[in-house]
Amino acid sequence: MNAPLLNTPVLEPSIFELSHAGAQGVSLSAIGVDETPLESLIPPEFLRETAPRLPEISQMDAVRHFLRLSQLNHCIDKEFYPLGSCTMKYNPKVCDYYGMLDGLTRLHPMTPGHLSQGALKIIYTLQQYLADITGFDAVSLQQAAGAQGELVGIMMIKAHFAHIGDTQRTEVIVPDSAHGTNPASAAMCGYKIVEIKSGANGLVDLDRLKAALSEKTAAVMLTNPSTVGLFEKDILEITRLVHEVGAFMYYDGANLNAVMGQAKPAQMGFDVMHINTHKTFATPHGGGGPGCGPVAVTKTLAPYLPAPIADFDGQQYFLNEDRPLSVGKVKAFYGNFEMMARALTYIQAYGSQGLSQVSQDAVLNANYLKACLQEDYQVAFDQVCKHEFILTNAKQKVHDSHLNTMAIVKRLMDYGYHPPTVYFPLIVPEAMMIEPTETESKATLDHFVAAMKAIAEECRTQPELVLNAPHTTPVSKVDEVAAARNPNLNYFGQSAS
Amino acid sequence: MYNFLPHTEAERQLMLAKIGVKSIDALFSDIPAALRQNMQYSVLPQQGLTEAELQAELQALARQNKGTELTCFLGGGAYNRFIPMAVNTIASRSEFYTAYTPYQPEIAQGTLQVTYEFQTMICELTGMDVANASVYDGASAVTEAAFMAMRTTRRHRILIANSVHPDYRKVLQTYANGLGEVTVETFDPLKPGEALNPNHPQAQKTACVIVQVPNYWGGLEETQSIRQFCQATGALFIVSAEPVSLGLLKAPGSYGADIVTGDIQPLGNHLSFGGPYGGYIATQNKYVRQLPGRLVGKTVDRHGKQCYTLTLQTREQHIRREKATSNICTNQALNVLKATVYLTLVGPNGLKHLANLSLQRTHALASALRKLPGVNLYKPGQAFFSEVALRFPVPVAPLLQHLEQEGILGGIALERFYPDAKNCLLIACTEMTSPSEIERYVEAVRKFLKLNAPPGTPQPPEILQQMEATC
């Protein structure tokens, strides 16, 4: 079967439909040694009777299938992604050089230290750089993603209280504006989640925080700039209050891109943080992963970091496993090493002054976009923002009550843009959260403004056009309700064995 | 300078004017002055490097990893396998590589369909009904599967075989310590004793029994008694399986597994000193709502056109918050893409061939080594697959040093993980270890034993007949 015929309701056939028995997409080495009958090596009860129904297809047809699929994706290398809190910025191509070097890609994780000095130096140097950028004393790179970094951060806090015999701390305070991973991570450590309502300005409400804090509090989890894109102006007071009851301050590093070179989380009074390397140091998002979630801590919490940590004895880099108080291992081997090498390259490309410029331009772009859009859309918090800001549909829904935020952002796809983050943070009804990042040019931002203004005009004059959007994408509005009601998660329905 | 930043100074001024402020500093006036004044970097390089300098720097670091110049006989959960060029050609397409999580299905059909095809392939390999879009790695897959079993059974006792990858067991233990109220008990599947007795006082409290096939040292575990224990007690039966082996070995679903997990690194993913890899979790339909992580389902758009979307998202942290099945909010999409392209190119016959090739080469190496005096299996009597643990009549540290001088990474010293594995090496063969390299390995060991065998051990023969015949 070839590409879909005209008028078929399928964009691209399934790889299983393209399959035809006997074809194979790659040539493979011969066995090369005298073959012993299988049955004399493996007892028959272990051997498979039914072959898995994997595709059988020539290489050309396979390549075309995946290439056609690639064309159905929106990607940052093609067009702008104004995704608040998710930070989609340009991935410098020089970082891809990693993949061309056998000395990095073909290194087995169990290679002895004296034969993997380059890799160990990468881990060690990145640890040092991240400690410098965040102001903390020690860093672990083992975590596979920001969410795992969060989990490790809370685990270390729990381990510390266990170690000093403070057993009364059972609660973690999380603002209602927090990322969903915050409460989920704390719950995975057995903590009760105490949610505090944000103030009308979107920031932490000091009175509510004071009321929630007690000797039962283990930690407060905070993002700064906050999830509404504002710097917590009272941050020094907040961290003081939290420390006063003996609890720790957790910094969700999702928004570090806005403050690099401007302020260090450790100096704000935080005790532990995670970093999402794809948000701040431009490791590829890849359609959802892989990630890398470094964790940085103060001296107090450093003994609990996962083992091993890369170390240097003056001659050789080595993995230090000697961490008796460590929370343990959270990832097989040493974490997502490739992402570490990429993040290191990114940091070296900018240097100290460059990273400071990154944050300045990210903040400049966000404030510029906000200034350009505030006539046509309701701005949720009207003040200087950091790297992101929130609009709502308040000015649009007066034309037609069905003009919710989802309808507006789906229309944006017809103009060639990925929608902003919608319905997050939960505290702003009908939120559209926009983060341009520093890598977008003024021309790109101006085009985006023009599209947003055009949509605002359509909402006034022809709301149906917006309500039925998107019109020009590979598929139109997808029936997600049907997908959840009767889940179809496997081409064959049921598997062979 | 900073050629990833697009603005000219003139444009910056225009933008500041539009915002209505005089300088960029005004945009940071909300940060307390004390914080800004203290701001300086002491370790970072002041100036950025040029692209040429960055490339040279990476090259230099790569060259310091001398290990990649040696023939690799290392396995232990990460395998040096051949990666067809087309895998990386497809995976380095920007459309995949620089895409975002497919929350907007109308413009993410590429990533979504690939993931759906991956889910189907994993179901085919494992004999399960549903698979998720992947988790971090094989270790987190085992851990998430165990937690899934705890939610399903509402029990808090986990039994895990001591032959499961040591790192996987450590990660499970870390998560269990974090949650608290979880007991993780290790048992020896070769001598389970009371552990698998359904009348054991704790048996009815068991959420799951976890085993790995092939296990850490390549051995094929007998799973009948585990299955019976699970049937008798209501515990879930979890199998961690290396995916290439499933080209030849029975799908765990066919011998009663409730959840199957593993790591997709061997399917077209680089070794990369440990990551990124990707964990898979597959299970039966009835457990789908307890399955953590992303799921892609087939549906239609408003014109009835077939398409794909993320589904059953109410299990996930961005909706369910502290009541989610897991805090994981990502998957290993790029690794999944590589695995999907790899399995497509290799196909069922190729996968079976690669599994058989690895098996045959490992056995050829093992049988040649076992002909040397004093070399034995770590676990005699247990069939092994494409990785083998052998006991040598000498300490392995100097043996490994000797092999290194011969250009060989000779294996993983097993005593680090198993105290009873004194003088044992874990050795793996794949299509990347050529027959002549296998021969070189045997010859190097023979030479070493000749000079270093303990008194009383018979001397190895001058030439190994069986290797001459096969290579």
Side-chain angles (χ1 to χ4, degrees), chain A residues 9 12-13 15 25-26 29-31 34-36 38 41 45-46 48 53 55-56 65 67 69-71 73-77 81 83 86 96-98 103 105 107-108 114-116 118-119 129 132-133 147-148 151 158 178 181 185 188-189 261-262 264 267 285-290 327 329 331-333 335-338 342 348-354 357 361 365 384 386 410 413 438-440 468 474 476-479 483-484 488-492 495-496, chain B residues 2 4-7 12 15 27-28 30 35-36 38-49 59 61 65-68 75-76 78 93-101 104 106-108 110-111 113 116-117 119-120 123-125 127-129 137 167 171 174-175 178-179 221 246 248-250 271-276 296-303 305-306 311 317 321 327 330-334 345-347 349 353 356-357 359-361 363 404 435 470:
Chain A
E12 170 62 18
I15 192 72
V26 64
S29 324
I31 301 280
D34 274 353
E35 203 172 339
T36 311
L38 262 185
L41 300 178
E45 68 266 25
F46 287 105
R48 191 161 194 134
R53 285 168 288 183
E56 295 178 79
H65 170 72
L67 196 87
L69 286 181
S70 78
Q71 301 306 299
N73 267 3
H74 188 97
C75 68
I76 190 71
D77 278 2
Y81 258 96
L83 268 177
C86 293
D96 295 349
Y97 194 58
Y98 173 97
T105 58
L107 189 63
H108 192 284
H114 66 282
L115 299 175
S116 50
Y129 284 0
D132 197 14
I133 290 169
Q148 200 177 34
L151 184 68
K158 189 174 177 180
T181 46
S185 298
M188 278 188 82
C189 287
Q262 318 302 323
K264 294 187 180 187
Q267 291 172 358
H285 202 289
V327 292
K329 219 168 167 35
K331 175 87 173 63
F333 308 114
N336 287 346
F337 173 75
E338 179 183 342
R342 287 170 178 276
Q348 289 174 332
Y350 279 109
S352 158
Q353 293 172 15
Q357 188 70 54
D361 282 352
N365 279 1
V384 166
K386 287 279 98 40
K410 292 284 183 195
M413 295 181 195
E438 71 281 1
T439 51
E440 298 303 334
N468 292 325
S476 53
K477 200 177 284 174
V478 168
D479 192 343
N488 174 336
L489 310 169
N490 174 348
Y491 178 80
F492 295 111
S495 60
Chain B
Y2 319 134
F4 317 129
L5 297 178
H7 299 324
R12 286 193 180 106
M15 293 167 79
L27 302 179
F28 288 92
D30 50 355
L35 292 175
R36 293 202 75 195
N38 278 329
M39 187 55 239
Q40 58 180 352
Y41 292 140
S42 49
V43 182
L44 287 187
Q46 278 302 302
Q47 299 291 331
L49 304 186
Q59 268 172 6
L61 288 164
N65 295 325
K66 300 287 180 205
T68 52
R93 294 287 307 189
S94 280
E95 296 91 331
F96 285 124
Y97 198 67
T98 76
Y100 174 59
T101 309
Q104 301 290 344
E106 293 86 353
I107 49 173
T111 295
Q113 186 169 336
Y116 181 86
E117 292 177 356
Q119 289 173 185
T120 302
C123 289
E124 283 297 305
L125 288 176
M128 292 280 125
D129 305 322
D137 66 353
D167 279 2
V171 172
T174 304
Y175 273 67
L179 186 60
E221 303 284 18
L246 295 176
L248 195 60
L249 297 182
K250 210 162 239 180
L271 282 169
S272 282
F273 204 50
V296 172
K298 199 189 277 184
T299 185
V300 289
D301 74 356
R302 57 193 282 264
H303 301 306
K305 195 189 278 185
Q306 180 188 296
T311 193
Q317 45 69 36
R321 297 177 82 82
N327 78 325
T330 181
N331 76 324
Q332 302 297 103
L334 266 181
L345 294 173
V346 166
N349 300 324
H353 173 77
N356 186 35
L357 176 155
L359 170 87
Q360 297 287 347
R361 288 188 185 177
H363 277 263
E404 198 180 300
T470 54

Side-chain angles (χ1 to χ4, degrees), chain A residues 310-346:
Chain A
D311 219 331
F312 183 59
D313 66 8
Q315 307 264 309
Q316 292 252 313
Y317 297 92
F318 66 103
L319 290 168
N320 191 342
E321 301 269 1
D322 182 21
R323 307 190 63 77
L325 295 180
S326 167
V327 292
K329 219 168 167 35
V330 292
K331 175 87 173 63
F333 308 114
Y334 321 116
N336 287 346
F337 173 75
E338 179 183 342
M339 298 302 126
M340 301 175 204
R342 287 170 178 276
L344 182 73
T345 304
Y346 177 90

Side-chain angles (χ1 to χ4, degrees), chain B residues 9 11 35 62 175 228 251 285 338 424 453 461:
Chain B
E9 211 37 57
E11 284 169 330
L35 292 175
Y175 273 67
Q228 282 163 3
N285 272 328
K338 288 180 182 178
C424 288

Side-chain angles (χ1 to χ4, degrees), chain B residues 246-310:
Chain B
L246 295 176
L248 195 60
L249 297 182
K250 210 162 239 180
S254 70
Y255 53 84
D258 295 295
I259 308 174
V260 189
T261 71
D263 197 306
I264 60 171
Q265 180 274 327
L267 306 176
N269 282 281
H270 290 306
L271 282 169
S272 282
F273 204 50
Y277 299 169
Y280 72 80
I281 308 183
T283 189
Q284 297 159 15
N285 272 328
K286 60 181 169 181
Y287 301 127
V288 70
R289 279 168 207 278
Q290 294 301 335
L291 187 61
R294 288 191 189 130
L295 284 170
V296 172
K298 199 189 277 184
T299 185
V300 289
D301 74 356
R302 57 193 282 264
H303 301 306
K305 195 189 278 185
Q306 180 188 296
C307 58
Y308 302 86
T309 184
L310 291 177

